[in-house]
Amino acid sequence: MVALVKILLTGFEPFGGEAINPSWEAVKQLAGYKDSVISLMLPCTFAQSLAVLGQTARALEPDIILCVGQAGGRAAISLEKVGINLIEARIPDNQGQQPSGQPVVAGGPTAYFSTLPVKRLRAALETAGIPAEISYSAGTYVCNQVLYGACHLAAALPWGPKAGFVHIPYLPEQAARHPGSPSMALPTLVAALKRLCDELLAGTTEIEAVAGTTH
Ligand code: PCA
């Protein structure tokens, strides 16, 4: 019998004055997908996000940790390549904390690369007709903290899970209150996450492809 691949898929609670977070709206719809996906909502707080992720990952022993967050202003599904060991909060988190110049992990490496095959995931989304890009900065807020922390955690877990992060655009109802901001409809976001899970269930090897940015 082939062992089932387990994906821990996380989204965030709303933050920054928004009533909803597209990441949780989409992630919760994937609960139980292909008997492999476990959906988890993370608090948008520096103090709790990684504790909740770590506790759940240790209890469930997923093969893959895929975290999802809102990136208002981005137009495409952003496959994050790099998490950095820096917290620089532009706005307070959901507990009113606004840390500045702090490491995610004291004494940790400067950065981690996602261990997910971001080039292959981008190609899969493009084939499915969904706008996608590789991003080389997840910012310096809670999402970057979770990407860095997930990679740090995964590196320490004995069964060696893969870990990575995806930023997604606003939902149309959010963009309506941010004139000029791009958005992606919920069914498209859900289709994108399903496509990513399909791809990861098939394996985590990367492809050769041109990527990168010049700015
Ligand atoms: N986006 C924020 C944190 C939670 C979320 O969904 C970020 O990009 O850091």
Side-chain angles (χ1 to χ4, degrees), residues 82-124:
V82 189
I84 60 173
N85 196 13
L86 175 66
I87 295 174
E88 199 63 75
R90 187 179 59 79
I91 55 171
D93 71 10
N94 284 356
Q95 284 181 325
Q97 298 301 306
Q98 196 170 7
S100 175
Q102 304 284 316
V104 176
V105 176
T110 303
Y112 280 103
F113 287 136
S114 163
T115 47
L116 300 184
V118 292
K119 291 180 177 181
R120 185 155 68 84
L121 297 178
R122 178 188 60 175

Side-chain angles (χ1 to χ4, degrees), residues 2 5 28 64 70 90 150 152 190 198 204:
V2 179
V5 174
K28 72 182 177 194
I64 292 161
Q70 162 192 312
R90 187 179 59 79
H152 188 74
V190 171
D198 290 345
T204 53

Side-chain angles (χ1 to χ4, degrees), residues 92-205:
D93 71 10
N94 284 356
Q95 284 181 325
Q97 298 301 306
Q98 196 170 7
S100 175
Q102 304 284 316
V104 176
V105 176
T110 303
Y112 280 103
F113 287 136
S114 163
T115 47
L116 300 184
V118 292
K119 291 180 177 181
R120 185 155 68 84
L121 297 178
R122 178 188 60 175
L125 291 178
E126 282 172 2
T127 303
I130 299 171
E133 64 191 4
I134 296 171
S135 161
Y136 298 91
S137 172
T140 56
Y141 195 55
V142 182
C143 288
N144 173 72
Q145 182 201 31
V146 162
L147 169 56
Y148 182 96
C151 291
H152 188 74
L153 171 74
L157 293 175
W159 64 94
K162 306 286 184 190
F165 197 96
V166 178
H167 262 128
I168 62 176
Y170 280 140
L171 287 166
E173 56 266 46
Q174 295 177 285
R177 296 190 303 104
H178 299 281
S181 285
S183 64
M184 208 174 261
L186 187 57
T188 309
L189 293 173
V190 171
L193 295 185
K194 286 184 175 171
R195 197 73 197 78
L196 294 177
C197 289
D198 290 345
E199 208 58 36
L200 293 170
L201 290 174
T204 53
T205 51

